[in-house]
Structure formats: structure tokens, C-alpha cells
Amino acid sequence: MDQQHAPSEVTFHHHVPGEENVKRIWKTFWVLLIITIIELGLGLLMYATDFPQWGDLAVKGIIAILTLAKAFYIVSIFMHLGDEIRNMIMTIVVPLMLFIWFIAAFLWDGNSYKNLRNTYDKHFEERTTEKKDTTSKH
Amino acid sequence: MSSTTTAQETKWWNGGRSPFNVEYGKLMMWYFLMSDAFTFGAFLISYGTIRFSQNFWPDPNVVFNAFPGAGHANLPLAFVSVMTFILIMSSVTMVLAVHEGHRGNRVGVMKWMAWTILGGIAFLLCQAWEWHHLITGQHAVLTDKNTIELIGQTMGGNPWGKLVDPAVAQQALAVSSQETLAHLAHEYPTKEAAARSLSELEKMPKGQLMGMIDMAHAHIREKGPIAFGGYFFGITGFHGFHVFSGVIINVVMLIMTNNGVFDRKGHYLMIEKAGLYWHFVDLVWVFVFLCFYLV
């Protein structure tokens, strides 16, 4: 098979394409699959058991972290971002840091709106809050 | 890695070469995907804001518990697991196509592109089934007028509110329509109703039907937050649209590969760029999966 000639912008090839690359791809596949199965297990665990609210939140936090791990593997291995030059990686990753503020600020805002409504609109709170005795799961 | 040492020795910013060692189109694909990530992020965060502002939100395990051909069996998250698996798998076949492209293997590229396209179409079909099932599903809800009605999950209605006390629901039966009662007696029959067909039940008077519904198992709910439908269909629809356009792009790439366009160019960079887009679609699904189905 003749080696591909790169476009003029590309000075060197990131990795020698070969069997080890294929191995890496399948390894990543298994990692993604196993993480997904763990996530599903945790999701069903929340359904099957009656955790207190903080317990549910903790499990949801673990699932969110596992999701970030999956995202890392997809971007780093499948999209080969991990093989690029550091400066280029930074131009992608640094702007995405905006999400830290974005998520925190807006979830905080939603939560604050709920608290205000529950404080000043008792009818809303009564109508929409789940009573513990009728919540038995089937 | 050998590439790291090369990168240190090269003076990247002296001009005459790309300081990122990336072809222009590929770099721009990355920046497009970054902006697309913010679009999806804004949608998902908006959904999160509304969800955090509610005292009650439907449990995804209750909403997504159906499986094609399984009837009314309660299988929480089973079907969406299949959809997730299909998308991960198609991501693997895509990266294998890119790998074959690096080696200049035209037949290999075409083989893996074809599998990727199949995976994308399979995912879209699954989503079509899921939407259809949600929209046309008939779930018993207690309305504001204290009657029981059968509604599906649409943009204007959500049947997954708080569970209603069976005693309260029993009282609502008297003022609900005969048709609704016939459906309930068909879905949740007591022993004496079990053998009856729906058409038979539909001819019965209300008074008789009221005694034929097993209210302990009917799980009548209130209507849930209306925003659920808009966000679910909006965001999964926008993602589905990305999958659809990804499939179109991949089909174009397959045809171009077949026609030998990339062999004449001397490189398969276009496959890499299409691959980036396709992996991004998988990446977004990981977060849609998290926000709508898992938490």
C-alpha cells in the first residue's frame, strides 16, 4: 500500500498507522461499553431502591463523572485530539471551560426560582410537591 | 512517542507551515464542532434550568420503559441502551474507516463507511419508533376537571405527573367518559373483565365498567410538567437531525471514495473530517443520554 502524501499544512504524521492503532480503537470501545453498562446499572439502582434525596444526588453525580470520562475517551482517542499539538488542543478545550460557569450559574438560577416560588406561592408548592405516601413505585 | 520529539524540534511559529500541524479544513471542522457544542450545551442547560425550577419532574425510568414487540412489559432504559450501543458501535466503525484512510486502503474505507451509515440509519429508525410510541401512547391522567383522560407524551401534554391516590381516582371514574373506562377495563382488567375484548367492553354501560377496572394497578397520574415534551422532542430532535445530516455526509463520502476522488487527491482527509462530525454526534448523545434518560 503506498503511503499517503499529506496536504502542505501538515509537517509530520502524528502516528504510524498500524495494528496497534486498531487495538487502541477496540480497547476504547470496550472502555466506553463498560462505562455505559455501569451507568445503566446505577440508573436502574436509583429506580429499584428508595434512596434518600442526597443518595440519589450522589449517584447522579457519579453518573455525570462517568459521562465526562466517556466524553474524554471519544474526543481523545476516536477524534484523535489527544494526538494533536498541545497549542491546538488548548484552543478547543480552553473555550469549553465556559461551561463550568454556564452550568453552575443557570442551574443555580433555576433552583433559586423554585425556592422563591415555594416561598411566595404556597399553592404552587402544595400542588406540585410529591407527597411521600403516594409515591410508591410499581 | 516519536511525534513529541519532532514537535519540540520544529519551530512552529517561524512561518511557512501550520503552527498546529493541521490542515485548514480539519481545523475549521474542530472550531465548528466547538460552536455546535455550545449550541447543544445551551439547549441542555436551558432544560436543566427549567428542571431545577420544578418541584416535580418525571422519573425517566417510568417514561422510557417500552421496548418494540414487548407490549406493556416494564423494561426501563432497555431500548435506549440499544440505541446507545448502536451509536457507540457506529463510532467504532467510523474510526476504523479513518484508520483505513490513513493507509490509503480504498476498499477498507468503503467497507467501514457502509457499516457506519447502516448504524446511523438504525439509530434513526429506533428514534422514530421511540417518538411514535411516546406520542401515540395512551396513559390515564386525572385532569383539572377531575375526570380521567387518556393522553400521550406530546408538546402540549405530559402524562407522567404525580401518582394519584387510587381512592381519588376511583371517584373520578364516575364522571369520566365511557370510552376511557372501556380502555382502562381493557388495560387493567379485574378478574371478571379479563376475558373481554375491547369492542365488547366499549358496548357496556359505564356502571358495569366501573367495577371492571383494577384501580390498584392502573397507576393513574396527574399531568406532569408540560416543558418536558418540548425539551425532549426539541433536543433529541436536534440531535436526530445531526445524525441524519451525518448519514447524508457519510453517503456522499462513500460515493466519493468509490469514485476514487481521494485516491486522486492522494489523501483521505475528507473521511477524517466527516469522522470528526460523526464522533461529535456520538459525543452529544452521551450527554443527551445523561440528561434525559439517566438522571
Side-chain angles (χ1 to χ4, degrees):
Chain A
M1 213 110 2
D2 35 309
Q3 185 60 44
Q4 300 288 292
H5 26 106
S8 57
E9 293 102 319
V10 178
T11 313
F12 71 89
H13 278 287
H14 298 292
H15 42 84
V16 190
E19 275 309 306
E20 57 175 317
N21 191 27
V22 177
K23 243 187 228 164
R24 192 172 71 148
I25 292 166
W26 283 108
K27 207 184 117 194
T28 309
F29 163 73
W30 286 111
V31 169
L32 290 175
L33 191 65
I34 288 164
I35 295 179
T36 306
I37 288 168
I38 295 172
E39 283 182 337
L40 280 167
L42 290 173
L44 292 174
L45 184 74
M46 279 195 292
Y47 175 56
T49 48
D50 237 336
F51 286 128
Q53 208 196 355
W54 63 266
D56 263 357
L57 269 179
V59 176
K60 286 175 182 182
I62 295 169
I63 295 175
I65 291 165
L66 288 173
T67 296
L68 288 176
K70 268 163 71 175
F72 169 79
Y73 277 106
I74 291 171
V75 175
S76 171
I77 312 282
F78 283 178
M79 296 169 92
H80 295 295
L81 188 64
D83 302 327
E84 303 287 357
I85 284 181
R86 194 187 141 82
N87 281 337
M88 192 242 160
I89 299 175
M90 288 303 145
T91 64
I92 308 287
V93 173
V94 171
L96 291 179
M97 298 283 179
L98 197 58
F99 271 122
I100 297 170
W101 162 84
F102 201 178
I103 293 167
F106 277 76
L107 295 189
W108 198 306
D109 190 45
N111 192 51
S112 145
Y113 181 52
K114 177 181 75 183
N115 292 339
L116 284 171
R117 252 174 127 186
N118 285 344
T119 308
Y120 296 108
D121 185 352
K122 283 292 167 198
H123 174 65
F124 168 78
E125 186 181 26
E126 234 167 75
R127 196 167 46 82
T128 57
T129 308
E130 218 171 1
K131 287 170 213 79
K132 263 293 159 204
D133 50 337
T134 56
T135 56
S136 59
K137 290 165 175 176
H138 61 267
Chain B
M1 248 200 301
S2 63
S3 60
T4 337
T5 48
T6 327
Q8 277 160 2
E9 283 157 17
T10 318
K11 289 203 183 302
W12 290 109
W13 299 93
N14 269 6
R17 62 167 69 85
S18 161
F20 288 164
N21 195 43
V22 174
E23 187 250 353
Y24 175 79
K26 192 172 156 186
L27 189 63
M28 292 305 120
M29 178 56 96
W30 268 109
Y31 291 145
F32 163 69
L33 293 181
M34 189 178 67
S35 72
D36 216 15
F38 277 109
T39 310
F40 269 110
F43 286 161
L44 286 172
I45 289 166
S46 155
Y47 157 76
T49 308
I50 295 300
R51 194 171 156 172
F52 267 61
S53 75
Q54 301 288 319
N55 285 316
F56 176 88
W57 198 260
D59 180 352
N61 290 294
V62 174
V63 180
F64 307 104
N65 70 347
F67 200 91
H72 289 286
N74 181 31
L75 300 165
L77 303 184
F79 190 52
V80 73
S81 310
V82 173
M83 289 168 71
T84 305
F85 178 75
I86 289 171
L87 216 52
I88 292 179
M89 208 55 226
S90 82
S91 226
V92 173
T93 56
M94 184 75 230
V95 76
L96 288 170
V98 172
H99 172 76
E100 292 301 330
H102 281 157
R103 298 169 56 193
N105 179 4
R106 184 161 67 100
V107 177
V109 172
M110 286 177 63
K111 178 179 97 180
W112 292 117
M113 286 304 280
W115 280 113
T116 308
I117 291 164
L118 268 181
I121 291 171
F123 180 87
L124 286 172
L125 291 176
C126 288
Q127 199 170 39
W129 184 88
E130 187 191 36
W131 277 36
H132 180 261
H133 179 81
L134 285 172
I135 293 167
T136 59
Q138 293 199 306
H139 307 275
V141 289
L142 185 71
T143 65
D144 294 340
K145 288 170 274 171
N146 261 325
T147 60
I148 294 174
E149 272 175 31
L150 300 168
I151 63 167
Q153 169 60 63
T154 60
M155 300 284 278
N158 178 314
W160 285 291
K162 295 183 290 173
L163 276 174
V164 175
D165 186 348
V168 176
Q170 187 74 49
Q171 287 172 352
L173 284 179
V175 286
S176 304
S177 78
Q178 192 265 352
E179 200 191 340
T180 305
L181 294 192
H183 271 95
L184 284 174
H186 184 63
E187 297 270 330
Y188 310 102
T190 53
K191 276 191 195 107
E192 61 262 44
R196 319 261 182 168
S197 72
L198 182 58
S199 55
E200 205 179 329
L201 290 166
E202 274 169 343
K203 288 185 199 108
M204 289 184 178
K206 263 171 75 171
Q208 198 180 350
L209 284 170
M210 276 174 65
M212 298 177 111
I213 302 166
D214 180 6
M215 287 307 278
H217 290 96
H219 298 294
I220 313 283
R221 291 175 178 275
E222 291 175 11
K223 283 190 179 179
I226 286 175
F228 184 95
Y231 278 114
F232 177 78
F233 290 121
I235 294 176
T236 59
F238 195 57
H239 175 266
F241 174 67
H242 274 71
V243 178
F244 176 74
S245 47
V247 167
I248 300 289
I249 291 169
N250 284 346
V251 167
V252 172
M253 289 303 128
L254 181 62
I255 294 168
M256 285 170 83
T257 313
N258 184 48
N259 293 348
V261 175
F262 306 128
D263 286 332
R264 280 196 295 280
K265 275 191 179 167
H267 57 76
Y268 277 77
L269 258 173
M270 284 294 278
I271 300 290
E272 263 184 65
K273 287 179 249 180
L276 284 179
Y277 184 78
W278 190 256
H279 294 310
F280 177 76
V281 168
D282 186 25
L283 181 68
V284 169
W285 180 255
V286 164
F287 288 97
V288 171
F289 183 54
L290 171 76
C291 295
F292 282 105
Y293 298 91
L294 287 177
V295 301

